[in-house]
Amino acid sequence: MPDGVAPAAARPAAARRRERRTDIDRAKGLAILLVVAGHLVANTAPPGGEWYEPARYLLYRFHMPFFLYLSGTVVVLSGVLDAEPPDWVRQIRKRAARLLPPFFAIGVLILLAKLVAMRFVVVDNQPDGLLTGLRHLLWDTGRSPATSIWYLLVLFLCTVAALVLRRAIGSGGLLLLGLLLQLPEVPEIAYLDRFARFFLFFAAGVWVAERQDRLLPLMRRWQVLWWALFAASLGIAMTVWWGVVILNERWSLVVCGLLCIPALHGLIRLRPVNGWDWPIALGRYAMVIYLFNTLAIGAAKAGLILLGIGYTAANFPLHLAVAMAAGVFVPILLKRLVLRRVPALDRMTD
């Protein structure tokens, strides 16, 4: 059996849900690397670095869908969605205490950091001031100075929606709801537009987790098929750059985001990947990396500019490499050297 897991029939259902899943840890490690890669350039590449834009476009077709899929899986495996209705308020409070304090704290920290940094260097998504920045951060989120934190609020909303609706409509109904939410134009208020776009992938994680004994082996066994379909979906999405729109941005996200799930999760469960330890380490630091990677990337970019290494086409590969290293390793160092010494901050970033 992969990852040292005993046969499913030999274990009670509750134990199967709550056991530590190293394939999920590895997948989280891969997913957080993709998230950091997606944050390397907030707006546009420098003139002459246009080659990066199609690559970023393709990355954004699947990296957050995969992250939300894993989040839906973890919510099921943790037993949160098994709560009885009288326990829903307690569960919602627990999720709020887990997700909303870092959402607000890191959002305000990014806003304040940008207000200071913009006095010395050019920053992406510049805030118009403290009060306006706070309003954009929390309400008019289409203009948020800290768009990278949206996942935390959306994950909270997804969990509450699944907790309340799953008993009535099942995981299949959650999937259908996720598809229906793709249809309306949802305003960019309090990240509700992102909830509408990404709930589908959270629901996919719930649906797969309920059927993991049947579906996970199929993900491994049919890897060639899944990767062929995933690659084809990316190719179709790429036609936008050639002036041919086969799937618009919204539906290319749906198709690529769903097809990445069996391709990537199946790959994680295959040799030699299922024996790698480094993705597990990254996966266990996923929260702190998510919270602090954009700050670290911004600081690295500002540092290079202050050292005279301008944000130009010639220096662009160096900026990307330094930003990637900073986005991954600075948060880990911060966790190990500082945050673990403060219990409240340690819990918030676990």
Side-chain angles (χ1 to χ4, degrees), residues 33-51:
L33 282 181
L34 295 174
V35 168
V36 175
H39 292 162
L40 295 181
V41 178
N43 288 326
T44 58
E50 290 80 6
W51 56 267

Side-chain angles (χ1 to χ4, degrees), residues 41-82:
V41 178
N43 288 326
T44 58
E50 290 80 6
W51 56 267
Y52 176 79
E53 297 302 331
R56 180 170 62 167
Y57 181 80
L58 289 184
L59 176 62
Y60 270 79
R61 299 306 90 205
F62 69 92
H63 79 302
M64 288 310 297
F66 189 59
F67 212 62
L68 265 296
Y69 158 77
L70 293 175
S71 300
T73 299
V74 169
V75 166
V76 172
L77 298 180
S78 67
V80 170
L81 299 188
D82 293 333

Side-chain angles (χ1 to χ4, degrees), residues 127-161:
D128 296 328
L130 179 59
L131 294 181
T132 302
L134 287 172
R135 180 166 61 83
H136 292 167
L137 176 70
L138 303 175
W139 184 250
D140 186 10
T141 49
R143 303 171 63 186
S144 172
T147 54
S148 62
I149 62 169
W150 66 265
Y151 161 78
L152 297 172
L153 181 56
V154 168
L155 177 57
F156 173 71
L157 296 175
C158 287
T159 305
V160 172

Side-chain angles (χ1 to χ4, degrees), residues 260-272:
C260 83
I261 291 170
L264 294 176
H265 199 168
L267 177 67
I268 291 294
R269 296 174 65 86
L270 283 177
R271 294 181 179 179

